[in-house]
C-alpha cells in the first residue's frame, strides 16, 4: 500500500491533476517551496513539503485502498477496531448542557415554526423539551428572526424552560452576531457563511488567490468567534455535503475530503483565537458518504491532536421507516465505533416525533460503549474505512446435472431472505404475494423486489403434498429454500439448501446428505480460527452470519468484521448474509434501528451480500420492506423511488409533510429514480446532490423544479407543482405507469 510522510500540521495535499481528492493548502502552509513527485512502492503520490518547517514531526499517510488517489492518515479513526470504546473528547458547554465523552449522548431536534411566530415557537420548544430533548435548534435567517429570538428566549425562561437554544445560520454573519447575544450556541455552515452560494463552477486559484480567500473567511468569521468567547457561547461547525463552496469543490471535489477541509478552515480560525467551545458535524443525505466523512474527520483530528466532540446526523433522511433506517445506518455505524456525542434524527415529521428514535439510538450507543461490546482482538488489514469498495461474494454457479437453477437464490446487488412458517404454506398464493412475487394463473414468478430465498425452519410432512408443491414452485423459479440439517434428514425436500453449523461440518455429519446437496453455513463470527478452518475445505452457497441478538458482551458488528477479515485473508469468497433474530415483542423502531445499526454498519463498508431479519411476532410485509429499505439505504439494491426529503424548519415554504405524502403516493413506483423534496433552497442545489429531480420551495405558494442541480422551471403554483414534476419525469423518459392491481 502506498504511504508517505508530511508535516503534522499540514493536514491535506493536492494532487497535480486538480481533481482534488487529495490535500490542499492551509493558512500555515501557504508558500510551497518544494513540490515533488515521490514514488512509494508502485504508487506515485504528490507530496507538498514546506521548507520553513525543519522539525521532524511528520504524519504517516497511506492510500485509502490499492490504487486509490485518496491519501488518508495511517492513524485509525476509532479507539478500537475490535470493541466499542467511546472516543475521548473535551467537554463543550451548550448553556447548562455538557457535551463530550464524559457525558451522556445528548439528543436534539429543530423547530419547524416560523421563528417570527414567537408564541408558536415557544410552544413547540416546550413540547420538545417535555419529550426529553436536551437541545433545540431554531432557524434564524434574518434580522426580524434574530430580534424574535430574544423574545423566545425570555419567554421560555419565564416559563422555567432552560433548554439550550441553537441558532441555525446560513449566509448571514450579521444575524449570527446579533443572535449570539441571546442563544446558547451558533451553528455555522462553512460552505456558505463567508462564501457565496455554490455555482458548481470549476475554479483555478493561484497561491495568492487562495490565501486571499482564506483571509476573507477569517475577516468575516473572527468577529463571531470573539463574540462567542465574550458571551460564553458554543458553536457547531456544521459541514453539509450538499453545500460545499465552489472553492472547496474545485480543490477536492464533492467529497468527504472536501467536507473535512471546509470545516478545518473554520476550526483553525477558532483555535488561532483560542476558542475551543465548539463541535463538528459532517452531514449528508447519503449514509455512506456521511460515515466516510466523519471517519476522515476523526482521523485528521487524531493527527492534529484535537479532541472536539461530534454532532451526528443524516440530513434529509425522510419519513417513517425510511428516515429511521437511513439515520440508523449512518448514526448507528458511528456509535458502534464509539464516535458521537450528540445526535439528531432528521425526519419529515413533527420535531417531537424525532425524539423517541433519537433516544433509542443514543441508548444503543451508550450501552455498547458502557459494556465495551466487542470480540477478542484481531488484526484488520482488508476493511476500507474511507472509500467504499464492496466485497462481492461469488454468486452460486450452475453445476452440470442439476435439476434446478440455483443462480437466482442470491441477487448481485444485495439479497433479501425471509423466514417462512408452516402456517404460511397453507395458503400458497398469499405466501407468493407476501414474498412480492408476480402471479400468473396462480404461479409465482420473480420480480424486481421479490424475496430471493426463504428459510423454512420446519419442513412440511412428507405426505403434505400441497405444501410441498408450493415449495417446488418457488424452487422452480430459482428461489432458494433453506432448511436445517436435521429437518432435511427427517423430511427431505428435493433441491433444498441445507443449513449446517460449523460443528456439523467438522464432525463430518453433513456427508450423509446426498452427493451434490447445496450447503448454507451458519457462523457466529467470534469462533476460534481453528473452528473456522473447515470453511477452507467445503463448497457453500452462502454463509449466514448469525450471532444471537441477546448477546450482552459480544458485538455483532465486530464479530462480522472479524469473520470478513478471516475470509479475506484466506481468499474465501463466500457470499455472507447478515442474519438477525430479534426477540419477541421488540418495538418496531428498535427493530429498524437494530437492523440499520448491526447490518448497516457492515454494508456501508461493502461487507455483506444481503439480509435475513427474523421476528416471529412482526408483520411479514413490514420485515420484507425493512430489509429492502436497508439495502437501498446502504446504496445497494434499488427497488423503489428514492426520496431526499428535508425535515422542515422555519424556512420551509409549504407544508412539507402533506406535500411529501402527495408526491410519494404518485411516484413511489419508480425504482432507480431519486426525487428531492425541499422546503427551501437555503443550502443550495448541492443539497440535492443525490437526486435526479427536485421539488423545491422558491417563494410562498410557488415551487421551483430541478433536474439534478439545475433549476428548469420556476414559480409554479403549488397546486399544479406535483403534476408538473410528473410531467418533468416523463420528459426525461424516467416515468412508467403504476402497475395494475392484480
Amino acid at each position: 500500500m502506498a504511504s508517505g510522510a508530511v508535516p503534522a500540521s499540514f493536514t491535506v495535499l493536492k494532487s497535480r491533476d486538480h481533481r482534488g481528492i487529495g490535500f490542499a493548502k492551509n493558512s500555515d502552509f501557504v508558500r510551497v517551496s518544494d513540490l515533488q513527485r515521490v514514488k512509494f512502492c508502485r504508487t506515485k503520490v504528490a507530496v507538498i513539503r514546506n521548507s520553513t518547517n525543519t522539525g521532524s514531526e511528520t504524519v504517516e499517510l497511506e492510500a485509502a485502498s490499492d490504487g486509490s488517489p485518496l491519501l488518508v492518515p495511517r492513524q485509525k479513526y476509532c479507539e478500537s477496531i475490535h470493541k466499542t470504546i467511546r472516543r475521548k473528547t473535551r467537554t463543550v458547554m451548550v448553556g447548562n448542557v455538557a457535551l463530550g465523552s464524559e457525558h451522556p449522548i445528548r439528543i436534539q431536534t429543530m423547530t419547524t415554526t416560523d421563528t417570527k411566530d414567537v408564541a408558536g415557537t415557544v410552544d413547540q420548544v416546550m413540547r420538545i423539551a417535555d419529550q426529553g430533548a436536551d437541545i433545540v435548534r431554531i432557524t434564524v435567517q434574518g434580522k426580524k428572526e434574530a430580534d424574535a429570538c430574544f423574545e423566545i428566549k425570555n419567554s421560555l425562561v419565564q416559563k422555567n424552560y432552560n433548554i439550550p437554544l441553537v441558532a441555525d445560520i446560513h449566509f448571514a454573519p450579521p444575524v449570527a452576531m446579533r443572535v449570539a447575544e441571546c442563544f446558547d450556541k451558533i451553528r455555522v455552515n462553512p460552505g456558505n457563511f463567508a462564501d457565496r452560494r455554490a455555482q458548481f463552477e470549476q475554479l483555478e486559484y493561484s497561491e495568492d488567490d487562495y490565501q486571499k480567500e482564506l483571509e476573507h473567511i477569517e475577516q468575516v468569521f473572527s468577529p463571531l468567534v470573539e463574540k462567542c468567547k465574550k458571551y460564553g457561547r458554543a458553536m457547531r461547525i456544521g459541514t453539509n455535503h450538499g453545500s460545499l463552496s465552489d472553492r472547496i469543490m474545485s480543490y477536492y471535489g464533492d467529497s468527504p475530503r472536501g467536507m473535512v477541509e471546509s470545516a478545518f478552515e473554520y476550526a483553525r480560525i477558532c483555535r488561532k483565537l483560542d476558542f475551543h467551545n465548539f463541535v463538528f458535524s459532517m452531514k449528508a443525505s447519503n449514509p455512506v458518504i456521511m460515515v466516510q466523512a466523519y471517519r476522515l474527520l476523526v482521523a485528521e483530528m487524531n493527527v492534529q491532536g484535537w479532541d472536539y466532540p461530534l454532532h451526528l446526523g443524516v440530513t434529509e433522511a425522510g419519513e417513517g421507516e425510511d428516515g429511521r433506517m437511513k439515520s440508523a445506518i449512518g448514526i448507528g455505524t458511528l456509535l458502534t465505533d464509539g464516535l458521537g456525542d450528540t445526535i439528531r434524527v432528521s425526519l419529515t415529521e413533527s420535531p417531537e416525533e424525532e425524539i423517541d428514535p433519537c433516544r433509542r439510538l443514543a441508548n444503543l450507543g451508550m450501552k455498547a460503549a458502557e459494556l465495551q461490546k466487542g470480540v477478542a482482538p484481531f488484526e484488520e488489514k482488508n476493511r476500507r474505512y474511507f472509500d467504499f469498495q464492496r466485497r462481492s461474494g461469488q454468486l452460486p454457479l450452475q453445476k452440470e446435472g442439476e435439476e434446478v437453477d440455483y443462480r437466482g437464490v442470491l441477487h448481485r446487488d444485495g439479497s433479501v431472505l425471509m423466514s417462512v412458517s408452516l402456517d404460511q404454506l397453507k395458503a400458497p398464493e398469499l405466501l407468493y404475494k407476501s414474498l412480492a412475487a408476480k402471479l400468473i394463473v396462480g404461479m409465482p414468478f420473480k420480480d424486481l423486489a421479490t424475496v430471493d430465498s426463504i428459510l423454512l425452519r420446519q419442513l412440511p410432512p412428507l405426505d403434505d403434498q400441497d405444501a410441498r408443491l408450493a415449495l417446488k414452485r418457488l424452487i422452480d423459479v430459482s428461489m432458494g429454500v433453506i432448511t436445517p440439517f436435521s429437518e432435511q434428514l427427517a423430511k427431505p425436500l428435493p433441491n433444498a439448501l441445507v443449513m449446517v453449523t460449523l460443528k456439523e461440518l467438522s464432525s463430518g455429519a453433513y456427508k450423509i446428505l446426498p452427493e451434490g446437496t447445496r450447503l448454507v453455513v451458519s457462523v457466529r463470527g467470534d469462533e476460534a480460527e481453528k473452528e473456522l478452518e473447515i470453511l477452507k475445505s467445503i463448497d457453500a452457497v452462502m454463509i449466514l452470519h448469525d450471532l444471537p441478538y441477546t448477546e450482552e458482551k459480544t458485538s455483532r458488528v465486530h464479530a462480522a468484521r472479524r469473520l470478513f477479515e478471516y475470509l479475506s485473508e484466506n481468499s474465501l469468497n463466500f457470499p455472507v448474509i447478515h442474519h438477525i433474530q430479534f426477540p419477541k415483542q421488540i418495538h418496531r423502531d428498535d427493530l429498524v434501528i437494530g437492523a440499520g445499526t448491526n447490518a448497516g454498519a457492515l454494508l456501508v463498508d461493502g461487507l455483506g451480500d444481503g439480509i435475513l431479519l427474523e421476528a416471529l411476532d412482526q408483520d411479514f410485509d413490514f420485515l420484507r420492506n425493512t430489509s429492502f429499505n436497508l439495502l437501498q439505504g446502504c446504496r445497494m439494491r434499488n427497488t423503489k423511488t428514492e426520496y431526499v426529503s428535508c425535515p422542515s424548519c422555519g424556512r420551509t415554504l409549504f407544508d412539507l409533510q402533506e406535500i411529501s405524502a402527495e408526491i410519494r403516493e404518485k411516484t413511489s413506483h419508480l425504482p432507480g429514480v431519486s426525487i428531492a423534496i425541499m422546503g427551501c433552497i437555503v443550502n443550495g442545489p448541492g443539497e440535492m446532490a443525490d437526486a435526479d429531480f427536485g421539488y423545491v420551495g422558491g417563494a410562498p405558494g410557488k415551487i421551483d423544479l430541478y433536474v439534478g442541480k439545475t433549476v428548469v422551471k420556476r414559480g409554479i403554483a403549488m397546486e399544479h407543482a406535483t403534476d408538473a414534476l410528473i410531467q418533468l419525469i416523463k420528459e426525461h423518459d424516467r416515468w412508467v405507469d403504476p402497475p395494475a392491481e392484480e
Side-chain angles (χ1 to χ4, degrees):
M1 185 173 285
S3 62
V6 295
S9 56
F10 190 83
T11 60
V12 279
L13 301 173
K14 174 74 171 94
S15 63
R16 276 188 171 179
D17 61 9
H18 294 282
R19 284 180 294 188
I21 312 182
F23 295 27
K25 313 163 183 66
N26 80 31
S27 57
D28 298 325
F29 289 82
V30 177
R31 293 173 303 183
V32 180
S33 59
D34 182 21
L35 173 61
Q36 53 183 305
R37 299 292 285 186
V38 181
K39 190 173 183 180
F40 298 101
C41 301
R42 297 182 179 180
T43 304
K44 291 183 179 180
V45 296
V47 177
I48 300 177
R49 302 190 184 281
N50 191 301
S51 61
T52 61
N53 186 343
T54 58
S56 60
E57 185 183 15
T58 61
V59 174
E60 292 294 319
L61 302 172
E62 62 185 13
S65 59
D66 291 337
S68 171
L70 172 62
L71 294 183
V72 297
R74 191 182 293 276
Q75 285 86 342
K76 301 301 184 207
Y77 69 90
C78 58
E79 298 291 319
S80 170
I81 64 163
H82 64 87
K83 61 181 177 181
T84 302
I85 299 178
R86 197 162 170 197
R87 169 179 168 263
K88 296 298 182 185
T89 75
R90 68 176 61 226
T91 292
V92 167
M93 294 303 301
V94 184
N96 59 357
V97 172
L99 295 184
S101 58
E102 300 304 312
H103 311 282
I105 296 172
R106 305 298 186 182
I107 58 180
Q108 57 179 284
T109 184
M110 188 173 185
T111 59
T112 57
T113 55
D114 183 342
T115 307
K116 297 190 297 295
D117 177 5
V118 173
T121 302
V122 168
D123 285 345
Q124 192 172 69
V125 170
M126 290 192 297
R127 291 196 302 273
I128 290 168
D130 291 340
Q131 289 292 320
D134 297 304
I135 299 169
V136 180
R137 180 157 45 114
I138 298 174
T139 189
V140 189
Q141 62 266 53
K143 184 178 182 303
K144 291 180 180 178
E145 288 80 6
D147 291 341
C149 288
F150 285 82
E151 297 181 56
I152 292 167
K153 183 70 171 179
N154 289 336
S155 181
L156 286 167
V157 170
Q158 290 169 13
K159 297 175 185 290
N160 292 318
Y161 281 82
N162 293 309
I163 188 168
L165 302 180
V166 183
D168 194 57
I169 302 294
H170 298 265
F171 301 111
V175 173
M177 292 289 289
R178 170 75 170 146
V179 78
E181 295 176 11
C182 68
F183 272 16
D184 304 281
K185 182 180 176 185
I186 308 296
R187 181 266 171 136
V188 297
N189 183 341
N192 60 33
F193 187 80
D195 287 295
R196 64 172 184 165
R197 188 191 299 278
Q199 305 299 310
F200 304 97
E201 299 172 348
Q202 184 70 27
L203 305 176
E204 294 291 336
Y205 286 93
S206 67
E207 297 282 336
D208 289 340
D209 290 339
Y210 201 94
Q211 178 62 14
K212 286 177 182 176
E213 291 276 349
L214 296 176
E215 289 172 355
H216 169 69
I217 292 173
E218 185 169 356
Q219 182 181 4
V220 173
F221 184 53
S222 292
L224 178 60
V225 176
E226 295 286 13
K227 196 153 197 176
C228 286
K229 281 181 65 177
K230 176 182 176 181
Y231 284 89
R233 307 306 186 202
M235 186 181 293
R236 170 159 67 99
I237 301 174
T239 304
N240 198 304
H241 180 227
S243 56
L244 298 175
S245 67
D246 284 329
R247 174 176 49 79
I248 287 290
M249 286 192 287
S250 294
Y251 261 68
Y252 310 104
D254 188 9
S255 67
R257 168 61 67 193
M259 295 170 69
V260 172
E261 182 58 20
S262 181
F264 268 36
E265 289 179 349
Y266 281 70
R268 294 184 195 110
I269 297 169
C270 291
R271 290 177 57 83
K272 181 178 179 180
L273 297 174
D274 196 27
F275 177 70
H276 302 280
N277 201 44
F278 66 89
V279 305
F280 284 111
S281 67
M282 298 276 127
K283 295 194 179 184
S285 59
N286 180 337
V288 177
I289 295 292
M290 174 263 198
V291 168
Q292 291 173 357
Y294 275 103
R295 287 174 173 172
L296 193 56
L297 169 72
V298 174
E300 293 287 2
M301 279 204 281
N302 289 343
V303 168
Q304 301 294 333
W306 296 358
D307 59 355
Y308 301 104
L310 300 177
H311 167 126
L312 305 184
V314 176
T315 191
E316 283 85 45
E319 63 185 6
E321 272 81 33
D322 283 2
R324 286 160 177 78
M325 178 59 78
K326 281 187 184 179
S327 293
I329 293 167
I331 298 171
T333 296
L334 295 167
L335 291 176
T336 300
D337 280 321
L339 306 181
D341 304 287
T342 179
I343 63 177
R344 185 213 173 173
V345 174
S346 299
L347 301 175
T348 310
E349 300 175 21
S350 64
E352 299 94 318
E353 296 299 317
E354 295 183 354
I355 304 304
D356 182 66
C358 198
R359 182 184 294 111
R360 293 176 191 274
L361 262 173
N363 289 343
L364 184 150
M366 287 189 288
K367 182 179 180 181
E370 179 185 345
L371 297 175
Q372 293 200 353
K373 294 182 73 169
V375 293
F378 65 97
E379 186 178 4
E380 195 170 48
K381 301 176 183 177
N382 295 282
R383 183 166 64 98
R384 301 305 175 194
Y385 315 131
F386 304 110
D387 63 337
F388 180 83
Q389 288 192 1
R390 185 179 169 199
R391 172 203 177 274
S392 294
Q394 175 62 57
L395 296 178
L397 300 174
Q398 195 68 9
K399 296 180 181 179
E400 187 176 351
E402 288 184 322
E403 298 176 357
V404 299
D405 188 351
Y406 288 106
R407 289 173 295 182
V409 303
L410 294 176
H411 193 284
R412 67 181 184 278
D413 296 327
S415 304
V416 169
L417 283 67
M418 296 288 293
S419 180
V420 170
S421 68
L422 284 179
D423 283 344
Q424 288 174 280
L425 286 174
K426 294 176 181 177
E429 288 199 14
L430 289 179
L431 172 62
Y432 302 154
K433 287 182 178 181
S434 68
L435 295 171
K438 291 292 183 184
L439 292 180
I440 300 178
V441 197
M443 299 290 287
F445 291 88
K446 278 191 169 182
D447 197 26
L448 179 70
T450 303
V451 170
D452 300 288
S453 292
I454 62 172
L455 171 62
L456 197 61
R457 291 193 175 275
Q458 286 183 286
L459 286 174
L462 293 172
D463 59 357
D464 190 342
Q465 296 182 2
D466 290 340
R468 288 185 166 252
L469 177 60
L471 292 173
K472 181 182 183 301
R473 286 175 173 170
L474 291 175
I475 292 172
D476 286 344
V477 295
S478 201
M479 182 176 291
V481 176
I482 304 169
T483 193
F485 177 56
S486 59
E487 283 292 298
Q488 183 67 3
L489 287 181
K491 298 170 283 187
L493 177 72
N495 303 308
L497 306 175
V498 180
M499 182 171 67
V500 295
T501 64
L502 289 177
K503 186 176 180 179
E504 289 165 339
L505 287 177
S506 299
S507 69
Y510 75 99
K511 293 180 181 179
I512 65 176
L513 292 167
E515 185 178 353
T517 298
R518 295 289 195 131
L519 300 179
V520 173
V521 186
S522 182
V523 178
R524 285 174 55 100
D526 63 345
E527 298 93 344
E529 287 199 9
K530 187 175 181 180
E531 294 180 57
L532 295 172
E533 285 182 3
I534 188 65
L535 295 174
K536 299 177 184 178
S537 60
I538 59 107
D539 179 19
V541 174
M542 69 186 88
I543 288 176
L544 299 183
H545 175 243
D546 180 13
L547 188 74
Y549 198 78
T550 53
E551 289 278 350
E552 279 291 312
K553 292 284 288 183
T554 306
S555 161
R556 163 178 289 277
V557 171
H558 294 93
R561 287 174 179 170
R562 179 179 178 274
L563 173 63
F564 281 109
E565 192 65 32
Y566 179 85
L567 296 176
S568 295
E569 285 296 291
N570 291 280
S571 301
L572 299 174
N573 204 24
F574 302 120
V576 178
I577 303 300
H578 298 296
H579 183 190
I580 306 178
Q581 298 182 57
F582 292 98
K584 288 184 178 180
Q585 297 182 329
I586 187 170
H587 191 282
R588 276 196 173 195
D589 279 1
D590 282 331
L591 189 150
V592 171
I593 288 168
T597 298
N598 287 290
L602 298 155
L603 296 175
V604 294
D605 283 333
L607 302 178
D609 301 273
I611 186 76
L612 167 54
L613 304 179
E614 280 195 271
L616 296 179
D617 54 352
Q618 292 288 343
D619 178 72
F620 194 86
D621 288 348
F622 164 70
L623 290 174
R624 187 192 68 244
N625 291 333
T626 298
S627 300
F628 279 108
N629 287 346
L630 174 57
L631 294 182
Q632 185 153 331
C634 292
R635 294 307 194 261
M636 292 177 66
R637 187 170 172 182
N638 199 315
T639 52
K640 64 179 184 179
T641 312
E642 180 76 13
Y643 296 97
V644 179
S645 180
C646 81
S648 187
C649 69
R651 292 183 173 89
T652 303
L653 296 169
F654 54 82
D655 187 326
L656 199 61
Q657 292 184 55
E658 179 183 332
I659 294 299
S660 177
E662 177 184 311
I663 292 174
R664 286 170 184 265
E665 183 183 358
K666 296 183 178 181
T667 63
S668 61
H669 62 289
L670 302 172
V673 174
S674 179
I675 299 173
I677 308 168
M678 313 294 288
C680 71
I681 199 62
V682 65
N683 278 324
E687 193 80 355
M688 304 178 292
D690 281 344
D692 302 307
F693 304 96
Y695 179 109
V696 182
K702 301 293 183 181
I703 301 299
D704 297 338
L705 296 181
Y706 285 72
V707 175
K709 299 173 183 177
T710 305
V711 60
V712 294
K713 296 184 179 181
R714 292 187 184 273
I716 302 170
M718 197 161 62
E719 57 268 27
H720 304 304
T722 300
D723 290 337
L725 172 65
I726 292 171
Q727 183 59 37
L728 185 63
I729 296 171
K730 290 179 177 179
E731 290 170 4
H732 285 77
D733 296 324
R734 303 295 298 277
W735 179 265
V736 294
D737 289 329
E741 289 292 328
E742 293 184 2

